[in-house]
Amino acid sequence: MNSLTDNSLMLQVKAGQVDKMGLLFERYHRPLLAFFYHATSHATGSEDLVQTVFYRMLKYRHTFSGEGEFRTWMYHLARNVLADAAKKEKPAKYHQDVADWAEKIGGGPTADASLQKNQEVDLLHRALGQLSADAREVLVLSRFQELKYEQIATLLNTTAGAVKVRAHRALGQLKDIYMKMENGSKVH
Amino acid sequence: MEAKFINCEQVREGLMDWLANEMPADEAQAVEAHLAQCPDCRREQAAVWQLWQAMGNLPVPEPSEQMRPRFYSMLAEFQAAEQRKQQWSVAALVQKLRDWWQPAYAMRLAYGLALLVVGLAAGYGLKARVDAPGAATQQPLAAVPAPAENAQQAQLLALLANPSAVQRLRAVSYAEEVAPTNERVVGALLSTLYQDPNVNVRLATLEVLAGLADDPTVRQGLVRALAQQDSPLVQSAMADVMVQLQERRSVRGLRKLLRQDNLNEQVKTKIEQSIQSLSHDRSAPADASTPSTYHENNDHTDSALDTSVAA
């Protein structure tokens, strides 16, 4: 019916109207950028990864069945892109060292200036960076990408219940890391 | 509705749903009710809520100015590459196949059939020089199929091999206009009558061939085609044509048709009438049917004989 839903747009792309991908880009380049940024803390690198996701969506458009949700399929590809990038790059860049993390953000051309000013935000971001990739991913998907637990479960090939448990645990870890950092900075 | 009573454990279990706003209203109410009277849970929930909110406020870098143009140029490139691929692969390939596979196929088909028909006709001519006295000496020469005489015929042959029934129908009616004296065209028409899957195409072909029945090859082909028909429409149309042509040799084929198990009743009556009409209307040259029946049993020997004569 609605030819502007994500799914119907992607099906049109699949059917050969490749230019329809433009609308999907307008809708999702920011969320995807956030996804990669939260995962890698690397602004310019994240843009490359977003570009790669869109390229792969074009290239592998025939794998989109239209049965599942477009977003789930997109994040499935995005996760693969992230995993490929992590394999290629030095691991240090992705399980990043807290010390050079601030430098990266500060040096990045698109880094938000307020980041450095706002200590609380800075702390939280660093805490997030210290989480394991798996724990961070669940939080990023549910909090930043606003995917429902059910959708994340499809993406991670597990149950919604398991996702909630994982997210809950990750949140607890994040809180602990954050508290520790906060106390540490107060001591300084 | 009275709020459900839930304990600290259940509040913790529902925490993620509560945070993500995925909690049913009545359950959320129960959580509120519990928090109102449990300071521990209240403290815990507030801390997590704060963290969750702070996460939501984490800044994300703005897309750079190059991001959008980069995407659109990638998209344009992809599109162009896709179009090139299509031109090269699908369209071009199909066109090429159309251009030379089908005429080639038609040529093979016509070649084979022309050989068969000519062989049979010549063999018959040797055995019984009733219909065409000169056939025996002329036909072997024709065993080397004449090339399509002109572009019209070549086009016709190609059309007859077209997978679309409508195209083949066009070809058949076209054949009528061109007056296909060319052996290959006749051969292709006969093969259409033998094996075209479409009844309408076969009927149209029968009509055209009936008009060419002066040609002994065509008559012979029609008689042979008789036994191969399974459509009642074509069967009765062929019976009509046989009566029209007074083709007595068809009696055998018609009898054979009568023996078909699933023969349509109307067609059966029609064929019986046709056989009667063919057997009685002209009893004078009745002896002519004898050698023809004899010939039908000796196709192979005749063809062999025929080749040796040609050589």
mmCIF file with all atom_site columns, all heavy atoms in Angstrom, chain B residues 157-178:
data_model
loop_
_atom_site.group_PDB
_atom_site.id
_atom_site.type_symbol
_atom_site.label_atom_id
_atom_site.label_alt_id
_atom_site.label_comp_id
_atom_site.label_asym_id
_atom_site.label_entity_id
_atom_site.label_seq_id
_atom_site.pdbx_PDB_ins_code
_atom_site.Cartn_x
_atom_site.Cartn_y
_atom_site.Cartn_z
_atom_site.occupancy
_atom_site.B_iso_or_equiv
_atom_site.pdbx_formal_charge
_atom_site.auth_seq_id
_atom_site.auth_comp_id
_atom_site.auth_asym_id
_atom_site.auth_atom_id
_atom_site.pdbx_PDB_model_num
ATOM 1   N N   . LEU B 1 157 ? 10.261 -18.814 -42.002 1.00 0.00 ? 157 LEU B N   1
ATOM 2   C CA  . LEU B 1 157 ? 10.805 -19.979 -41.296 1.00 0.00 ? 157 LEU B CA  1
ATOM 3   C C   . LEU B 1 157 ? 11.135 -19.624 -39.855 1.00 0.00 ? 157 LEU B C   1
ATOM 4   O O   . LEU B 1 157 ? 10.862 -20.391 -38.929 1.00 0.00 ? 157 LEU B O   1
ATOM 5   C CB  . LEU B 1 157 ? 12.060 -20.487 -42.009 1.00 0.00 ? 157 LEU B CB  1
ATOM 6   C CG  . LEU B 1 157 ? 11.793 -21.192 -43.340 1.00 0.00 ? 157 LEU B CG  1
ATOM 7   C CD1 . LEU B 1 157 ? 13.105 -21.472 -44.045 1.00 0.00 ? 157 LEU B CD1 1
ATOM 8   C CD2 . LEU B 1 157 ? 11.019 -22.478 -43.125 1.00 0.00 ? 157 LEU B CD2 1
ATOM 9   N N   . ALA B 1 158 ? 11.695 -18.438 -39.675 1.00 0.00 ? 158 ALA B N   1
ATOM 10  C CA  . ALA B 1 158 ? 12.045 -18.003 -38.325 1.00 0.00 ? 158 ALA B CA  1
ATOM 11  C C   . ALA B 1 158 ? 10.793 -17.838 -37.474 1.00 0.00 ? 158 ALA B C   1
ATOM 12  O O   . ALA B 1 158 ? 10.738 -18.264 -36.323 1.00 0.00 ? 158 ALA B O   1
ATOM 13  C CB  . ALA B 1 158 ? 12.809 -16.690 -38.382 1.00 0.00 ? 158 ALA B CB  1
ATOM 14  N N   . LEU B 1 159 ? 9.778  -17.259 -38.072 1.00 0.00 ? 159 LEU B N   1
ATOM 15  C CA  . LEU B 1 159 ? 8.531  -17.008 -37.332 1.00 0.00 ? 159 LEU B CA  1
ATOM 16  C C   . LEU B 1 159 ? 7.863  -18.319 -36.922 1.00 0.00 ? 159 LEU B C   1
ATOM 17  O O   . LEU B 1 159 ? 7.291  -18.430 -35.841 1.00 0.00 ? 159 LEU B O   1
ATOM 18  C CB  . LEU B 1 159 ? 7.560  -16.204 -38.193 1.00 0.00 ? 159 LEU B CB  1
ATOM 19  C CG  . LEU B 1 159 ? 7.531  -14.690 -38.010 1.00 0.00 ? 159 LEU B CG  1
ATOM 20  C CD1 . LEU B 1 159 ? 6.459  -14.092 -38.896 1.00 0.00 ? 159 LEU B CD1 1
ATOM 21  C CD2 . LEU B 1 159 ? 7.271  -14.326 -36.558 1.00 0.00 ? 159 LEU B CD2 1
ATOM 22  N N   . LEU B 1 160 ? 7.948  -19.318 -37.790 1.00 0.00 ? 160 LEU B N   1
ATOM 23  C CA  . LEU B 1 160 ? 7.307  -20.601 -37.493 1.00 0.00 ? 160 LEU B CA  1
ATOM 24  C C   . LEU B 1 160 ? 7.926  -21.269 -36.271 1.00 0.00 ? 160 LEU B C   1
ATOM 25  O O   . LEU B 1 160 ? 7.287  -22.072 -35.600 1.00 0.00 ? 160 LEU B O   1
ATOM 26  C CB  . LEU B 1 160 ? 7.417  -21.545 -38.694 1.00 0.00 ? 160 LEU B CB  1
ATOM 27  C CG  . LEU B 1 160 ? 6.284  -21.434 -39.713 1.00 0.00 ? 160 LEU B CG  1
ATOM 28  C CD1 . LEU B 1 160 ? 6.550  -22.371 -40.869 1.00 0.00 ? 160 LEU B CD1 1
ATOM 29  C CD2 . LEU B 1 160 ? 4.937  -21.770 -39.077 1.00 0.00 ? 160 LEU B CD2 1
ATOM 30  N N   . ALA B 1 161 ? 9.184  -20.921 -35.986 1.00 0.00 ? 161 ALA B N   1
ATOM 31  C CA  . ALA B 1 161 ? 9.851  -21.525 -34.830 1.00 0.00 ? 161 ALA B CA  1
ATOM 32  C C   . ALA B 1 161 ? 9.732  -20.656 -33.597 1.00 0.00 ? 161 ALA B C   1
ATOM 33  O O   . ALA B 1 161 ? 10.286 -20.954 -32.559 1.00 0.00 ? 161 ALA B O   1
ATOM 34  C CB  . ALA B 1 161 ? 11.322 -21.757 -35.161 1.00 0.00 ? 161 ALA B CB  1
ATOM 35  N N   . ASN B 1 162 ? 8.988  -19.577 -33.708 1.00 0.00 ? 162 ASN B N   1
ATOM 36  C CA  . ASN B 1 162 ? 8.850  -18.665 -32.563 1.00 0.00 ? 162 ASN B CA  1
ATOM 37  C C   . ASN B 1 162 ? 8.083  -19.328 -31.438 1.00 0.00 ? 162 ASN B C   1
ATOM 38  O O   . ASN B 1 162 ? 7.111  -20.028 -31.661 1.00 0.00 ? 162 ASN B O   1
ATOM 39  C CB  . ASN B 1 162 ? 8.098  -17.415 -33.044 1.00 0.00 ? 162 ASN B CB  1
ATOM 40  C CG  . ASN B 1 162 ? 8.209  -16.280 -32.054 1.00 0.00 ? 162 ASN B CG  1
ATOM 41  O OD1 . ASN B 1 162 ? 7.666  -16.354 -30.970 1.00 0.00 ? 162 ASN B OD1 1
ATOM 42  N ND2 . ASN B 1 162 ? 8.947  -15.265 -32.424 1.00 0.00 ? 162 ASN B ND2 1
ATOM 43  N N   . PRO B 1 163 ? 8.545  -19.105 -30.204 1.00 0.00 ? 163 PRO B N   1
ATOM 44  C CA  . PRO B 1 163 ? 7.844  -19.727 -29.066 1.00 0.00 ? 163 PRO B CA  1
ATOM 45  C C   . PRO B 1 163 ? 6.430  -19.174 -28.852 1.00 0.00 ? 163 PRO B C   1
ATOM 46  O O   . PRO B 1 163 ? 5.611  -19.820 -28.210 1.00 0.00 ? 163 PRO B O   1
ATOM 47  C CB  . PRO B 1 163 ? 8.731  -19.414 -27.869 1.00 0.00 ? 163 PRO B CB  1
ATOM 48  C CG  . PRO B 1 163 ? 9.716  -18.406 -28.321 1.00 0.00 ? 163 PRO B CG  1
ATOM 49  C CD  . PRO B 1 163 ? 9.793  -18.447 -29.799 1.00 0.00 ? 163 PRO B CD  1
ATOM 50  N N   . SER B 1 164 ? 6.153  -18.006 -29.369 1.00 0.00 ? 164 SER B N   1
ATOM 51  C CA  . SER B 1 164 ? 4.818  -17.438 -29.149 1.00 0.00 ? 164 SER B CA  1
ATOM 52  C C   . SER B 1 164 ? 3.833  -17.972 -30.185 1.00 0.00 ? 164 SER B C   1
ATOM 53  O O   . SER B 1 164 ? 4.069  -17.899 -31.391 1.00 0.00 ? 164 SER B O   1
ATOM 54  C CB  . SER B 1 164 ? 4.898  -15.915 -29.231 1.00 0.00 ? 164 SER B CB  1
ATOM 55  O OG  . SER B 1 164 ? 3.697  -15.399 -29.751 1.00 0.00 ? 164 SER B OG  1
ATOM 56  N N   . ALA B 1 165 ? 2.703  -18.510 -29.721 1.00 0.00 ? 165 ALA B N   1
ATOM 57  C CA  . ALA B 1 165 ? 1.694  -19.073 -30.616 1.00 0.00 ? 165 ALA B CA  1
ATOM 58  C C   . ALA B 1 165 ? 1.150  -18.007 -31.561 1.00 0.00 ? 165 ALA B C   1
ATOM 59  O O   . ALA B 1 165 ? 0.883  -18.270 -32.730 1.00 0.00 ? 165 ALA B O   1
ATOM 60  C CB  . ALA B 1 165 ? 0.565  -19.693 -29.809 1.00 0.00 ? 165 ALA B CB  1
ATOM 61  N N   . VAL B 1 166 ? 1.015  -16.784 -31.040 1.00 0.00 ? 166 VAL B N   1
ATOM 62  C CA  . VAL B 1 166 ? 0.497  -15.695 -31.868 1.00 0.00 ? 166 VAL B CA  1
ATOM 63  C C   . VAL B 1 166 ? 1.435  -15.448 -33.041 1.00 0.00 ? 166 VAL B C   1
ATOM 64  O O   . VAL B 1 166 ? 0.999  -15.254 -34.181 1.00 0.00 ? 166 VAL B O   1
ATOM 65  C CB  . VAL B 1 166 ? 0.347  -14.406 -31.024 1.00 0.00 ? 166 VAL B CB  1
ATOM 66  C CG1 . VAL B 1 166 ? -0.120 -13.263 -31.902 1.00 0.00 ? 166 VAL B CG1 1
ATOM 67  C CG2 . VAL B 1 166 ? -0.624 -14.648 -29.892 1.00 0.00 ? 166 VAL B CG2 1
ATOM 68  N N   . GLN B 1 167 ? 2.741  -15.481 -32.774 1.00 0.00 ? 167 GLN B N   1
ATOM 69  C CA  . GLN B 1 167 ? 3.724  -15.270 -33.834 1.00 0.00 ? 167 GLN B CA  1
ATOM 70  C C   . GLN B 1 167 ? 3.649  -16.388 -34.867 1.00 0.00 ? 167 GLN B C   1
ATOM 71  O O   . GLN B 1 167 ? 3.743  -16.155 -36.066 1.00 0.00 ? 167 GLN B O   1
ATOM 72  C CB  . GLN B 1 167 ? 5.135  -15.187 -33.247 1.00 0.00 ? 167 GLN B CB  1
ATOM 73  C CG  . GLN B 1 167 ? 5.388  -13.945 -32.403 1.00 0.00 ? 167 GLN B CG  1
ATOM 74  C CD  . GLN B 1 167 ? 5.172  -12.667 -33.179 1.00 0.00 ? 167 GLN B CD  1
ATOM 75  O OE1 . GLN B 1 167 ? 5.586  -12.543 -34.326 1.00 0.00 ? 167 GLN B OE1 1
ATOM 76  N NE2 . GLN B 1 167 ? 4.478  -11.716 -32.568 1.00 0.00 ? 167 GLN B NE2 1
ATOM 77  N N   . ARG B 1 168 ? 3.460  -17.595 -34.382 1.00 0.00 ? 168 ARG B N   1
ATOM 78  C CA  . ARG B 1 168 ? 3.394  -18.725 -35.322 1.00 0.00 ? 168 ARG B CA  1
ATOM 79  C C   . ARG B 1 168 ? 2.138  -18.628 -36.177 1.00 0.00 ? 168 ARG B C   1
ATOM 80  O O   . ARG B 1 168 ? 2.156  -18.924 -37.371 1.00 0.00 ? 168 ARG B O   1
ATOM 81  C CB  . ARG B 1 168 ? 3.443  -20.049 -34.557 1.00 0.00 ? 168 ARG B CB  1
ATOM 82  C CG  . ARG B 1 168 ? 4.762  -20.294 -33.834 1.00 0.00 ? 168 ARG B CG  1
ATOM 83  C CD  . ARG B 1 168 ? 4.956  -21.755 -33.453 1.00 0.00 ? 168 ARG B CD  1
ATOM 84  N NE  . ARG B 1 168 ? 3.865  -22.292 -32.647 1.00 0.00 ? 168 ARG B NE  1
ATOM 85  C CZ  . ARG B 1 168 ? 3.780  -22.162 -31.324 1.00 0.00 ? 168 ARG B CZ  1
ATOM 86  N NH1 . ARG B 1 168 ? 4.732  -21.532 -30.663 1.00 0.00 ? 168 ARG B NH1 1
ATOM 87  N NH2 . ARG B 1 168 ? 2.756  -22.665 -30.663 1.00 0.00 ? 168 ARG B NH2 1
ATOM 88  N N   . LEU B 1 169 ? 1.028  -18.194 -35.549 1.00 0.00 ? 169 LEU B N   1
ATOM 89  C CA  . LEU B 1 169 ? -0.206 -17.995 -36.312 1.00 0.00 ? 169 LEU B CA  1
ATOM 90  C C   . LEU B 1 169 ? 0.031  -16.969 -37.409 1.00 0.00 ? 169 LEU B C   1
ATOM 91  O O   . LEU B 1 169 ? -0.411 -17.145 -38.547 1.00 0.00 ? 169 LEU B O   1
ATOM 92  C CB  . LEU B 1 169 ? -1.319 -17.495 -35.394 1.00 0.00 ? 169 LEU B CB  1
ATOM 93  C CG  . LEU B 1 169 ? -2.212 -18.558 -34.769 1.00 0.00 ? 169 LEU B CG  1
ATOM 94  C CD1 . LEU B 1 169 ? -3.191 -17.921 -33.811 1.00 0.00 ? 169 LEU B CD1 1
ATOM 95  C CD2 . LEU B 1 169 ? -2.964 -19.319 -35.859 1.00 0.00 ? 169 LEU B CD2 1
ATOM 96  N N   . ARG B 1 170 ? 0.737  -15.915 -37.040 1.00 0.00 ? 170 ARG B N   1
ATOM 97  C CA  . ARG B 1 170 ? 1.055  -14.882 -38.021 1.00 0.00 ? 170 ARG B CA  1
ATOM 98  C C   . ARG B 1 170 ? 1.844  -15.497 -39.166 1.00 0.00 ? 170 ARG B C   1
ATOM 99  O O   . ARG B 1 170 ? 1.595  -15.225 -40.336 1.00 0.00 ? 170 ARG B O   1
ATOM 100 C CB  . ARG B 1 170 ? 1.895  -13.794 -37.352 1.00 0.00 ? 170 ARG B CB  1
ATOM 101 C CG  . ARG B 1 170 ? 1.153  -12.488 -37.199 1.00 0.00 ? 170 ARG B CG  1
ATOM 102 C CD  . ARG B 1 170 ? 2.062  -11.414 -36.670 1.00 0.00 ? 170 ARG B CD  1
ATOM 103 N NE  . ARG B 1 170 ? 3.166  -11.107 -37.562 1.00 0.00 ? 170 ARG B NE  1
ATOM 104 C CZ  . ARG B 1 170 ? 4.267  -10.478 -37.173 1.00 0.00 ? 170 ARG B CZ  1
ATOM 105 N NH1 . ARG B 1 170 ? 4.410  -10.105 -35.924 1.00 0.00 ? 170 ARG B NH1 1
ATOM 106 N NH2 . ARG B 1 170 ? 5.226  -10.215 -38.028 1.00 0.00 ? 170 ARG B NH2 1
ATOM 107 N N   . ALA B 1 171 ? 2.795  -16.349 -38.802 1.00 0.00 ? 171 ALA B N   1
ATOM 108 C CA  . ALA B 1 171 ? 3.655  -16.971 -39.800 1.00 0.00 ? 171 ALA B CA  1
ATOM 109 C C   . ALA B 1 171 ? 2.823  -17.818 -40.753 1.00 0.00 ? 171 ALA B C   1
ATOM 110 O O   . ALA B 1 171 ? 3.019  -17.793 -41.969 1.00 0.00 ? 171 ALA B O   1
ATOM 111 C CB  . ALA B 1 171 ? 4.716  -17.818 -39.114 1.00 0.00 ? 171 ALA B CB  1
ATOM 112 N N   . VAL B 1 172 ? 1.857  -18.554 -40.185 1.00 0.00 ? 172 VAL B N   1
ATOM 113 C CA  . VAL B 1 172 ? 1.049  -19.446 -41.024 1.00 0.00 ? 172 VAL B CA  1
ATOM 114 C C   . VAL B 1 172 ? 0.218  -18.646 -42.016 1.00 0.00 ? 172 VAL B C   1
ATOM 115 O O   . VAL B 1 172 ? 0.160  -18.963 -43.210 1.00 0.00 ? 172 VAL B O   1
ATOM 116 C CB  . VAL B 1 172 ? 0.161  -20.345 -40.140 1.00 0.00 ? 172 VAL B CB  1
ATOM 117 C CG1 . VAL B 1 172 ? -0.809 -21.121 -41.008 1.00 0.00 ? 172 VAL B CG1 1
ATOM 118 C CG2 . VAL B 1 172 ? 1.018  -21.293 -39.330 1.00 0.00 ? 172 VAL B CG2 1
ATOM 119 N N   . SER B 1 173 ? -0.394 -17.559 -41.521 1.00 0.00 ? 173 SER B N   1
ATOM 120 C CA  . SER B 1 173 ? -1.224 -16.787 -42.454 1.00 0.00 ? 173 SER B CA  1
ATOM 121 C C   . SER B 1 173 ? -0.333 -16.058 -43.458 1.00 0.00 ? 173 SER B C   1
ATOM 122 O O   . SER B 1 173 ? -0.730 -15.821 -44.598 1.00 0.00 ? 173 SER B O   1
ATOM 123 C CB  . SER B 1 173 ? -2.109 -15.800 -41.687 1.00 0.00 ? 173 SER B CB  1
ATOM 124 O OG  . SER B 1 173 ? -1.315 -14.887 -40.997 1.00 0.00 ? 173 SER B OG  1
ATOM 125 N N   . TYR B 1 174 ? 0.849  -15.738 -43.022 1.00 0.00 ? 174 TYR B N   1
ATOM 126 C CA  . TYR B 1 174 ? 1.840  -15.120 -43.900 1.00 0.00 ? 174 TYR B CA  1
ATOM 127 C C   . TYR B 1 174 ? 2.212  -16.115 -45.006 1.00 0.00 ? 174 TYR B C   1
ATOM 128 O O   . TYR B 1 174 ? 2.340  -15.748 -46.173 1.00 0.00 ? 174 TYR B O   1
ATOM 129 C CB  . TYR B 1 174 ? 3.045  -14.752 -43.055 1.00 0.00 ? 174 TYR B CB  1
ATOM 130 C CG  . TYR B 1 174 ? 4.103  -13.932 -43.733 1.00 0.00 ? 174 TYR B CG  1
ATOM 131 C CD1 . TYR B 1 174 ? 3.782  -12.779 -44.440 1.00 0.00 ? 174 TYR B CD1 1
ATOM 132 C CD2 . TYR B 1 174 ? 5.443  -14.292 -43.623 1.00 0.00 ? 174 TYR B CD2 1
ATOM 133 C CE1 . TYR B 1 174 ? 4.757  -12.019 -45.027 1.00 0.00 ? 174 TYR B CE1 1
ATOM 134 C CE2 . TYR B 1 174 ? 6.432  -13.537 -44.210 1.00 0.00 ? 174 TYR B CE2 1
ATOM 135 C CZ  . TYR B 1 174 ? 6.089  -12.398 -44.916 1.00 0.00 ? 174 TYR B CZ  1
ATOM 136 O OH  . TYR B 1 174 ? 7.061  -11.658 -45.495 1.00 0.00 ? 174 TYR B OH  1
ATOM 137 N N   . ALA B 1 175 ? 2.326  -17.370 -44.612 1.00 0.00 ? 175 ALA B N   1
ATOM 138 C CA  . ALA B 1 175 ? 2.700  -18.415 -45.572 1.00 0.00 ? 175 ALA B CA  1
ATOM 139 C C   . ALA B 1 175 ? 1.692  -18.477 -46.707 1.00 0.00 ? 175 ALA B C   1
ATOM 140 O O   . ALA B 1 175 ? 2.043  -18.706 -47.857 1.00 0.00 ? 175 ALA B O   1
ATOM 141 C CB  . ALA B 1 175 ? 2.787  -19.761 -44.860 1.00 0.00 ? 175 ALA B CB  1
ATOM 142 N N   . GLU B 1 176 ? 0.427  -18.266 -46.369 1.00 0.00 ? 176 GLU B N   1
ATOM 143 C CA  . GLU B 1 176 ? -0.619 -18.309 -47.377 1.00 0.00 ? 176 GLU B CA  1
ATOM 144 C C   . GLU B 1 176 ? -0.377 -17.225 -48.430 1.00 0.00 ? 176 GLU B C   1
ATOM 145 O O   . GLU B 1 176 ? -0.538 -17.453 -49.615 1.00 0.00 ? 176 GLU B O   1
ATOM 146 C CB  . GLU B 1 176 ? -1.970 -18.090 -46.696 1.00 0.00 ? 176 GLU B CB  1
ATOM 147 C CG  . GLU B 1 176 ? -3.109 -18.713 -47.444 1.00 0.00 ? 176 GLU B CG  1
ATOM 148 C CD  . GLU B 1 176 ? -4.366 -18.741 -46.609 1.00 0.00 ? 176 GLU B CD  1
ATOM 149 O OE1 . GLU B 1 176 ? -4.400 -18.038 -45.577 1.00 0.00 ? 176 GLU B OE1 1
ATOM 150 O OE2 . GLU B 1 176 ? -5.291 -19.474 -46.975 1.00 0.00 ? 176 GLU B OE2 1
ATOM 151 N N   . GLU B 1 177 ? 0.038  -16.046 -47.964 1.00 0.00 ? 177 GLU B N   1
ATOM 152 C CA  . GLU B 1 177 ? 0.278  -14.939 -48.891 1.00 0.00 ? 177 GLU B CA  1
ATOM 153 C C   . GLU B 1 177 ? 1.482  -15.201 -49.783 1.00 0.00 ? 177 GLU B C   1
ATOM 154 O O   . GLU B 1 177 ? 1.459  -14.933 -50.975 1.00 0.00 ? 177 GLU B O   1
ATOM 155 C CB  . GLU B 1 177 ? 0.531  -13.641 -48.112 1.00 0.00 ? 177 GLU B CB  1
ATOM 156 C CG  . GLU B 1 177 ? -0.696 -13.093 -47.419 1.00 0.00 ? 177 GLU B CG  1
ATOM 157 C CD  . GLU B 1 177 ? -0.315 -11.978 -46.455 1.00 0.00 ? 177 GLU B CD  1
ATOM 158 O OE1 . GLU B 1 177 ? 0.618  -11.221 -46.784 1.00 0.00 ? 177 GLU B OE1 1
ATOM 159 O OE2 . GLU B 1 177 ? -0.941 -11.903 -45.380 1.00 0.00 ? 177 GLU B OE2 1
ATOM 160 N N   . VAL B 1 178 ? 2.523  -15.717 -49.166 1.00 0.00 ? 178 VAL B N   1
ATOM 161 C CA  . VAL B 1 178 ? 3.769  -15.904 -49.906 1.00 0.00 ? 178 VAL B CA  1
ATOM 162 C C   . VAL B 1 178 ? 3.657  -17.045 -50.919 1.00 0.00 ? 178 VAL B C   1
ATOM 163 O O   . VAL B 1 178 ? 4.471  -17.165 -51.805 1.00 0.00 ? 178 VAL B O   1
ATOM 164 C CB  . VAL B 1 178 ? 4.926  -16.178 -48.919 1.00 0.00 ? 178 VAL B CB  1
ATOM 165 C CG1 . VAL B 1 178 ? 6.245  -16.247 -49.646 1.00 0.00 ? 178 VAL B CG1 1
ATOM 166 C CG2 . VAL B 1 178 ? 4.981  -15.112 -47.853 1.00 0.00 ? 178 VAL B CG2 1
#
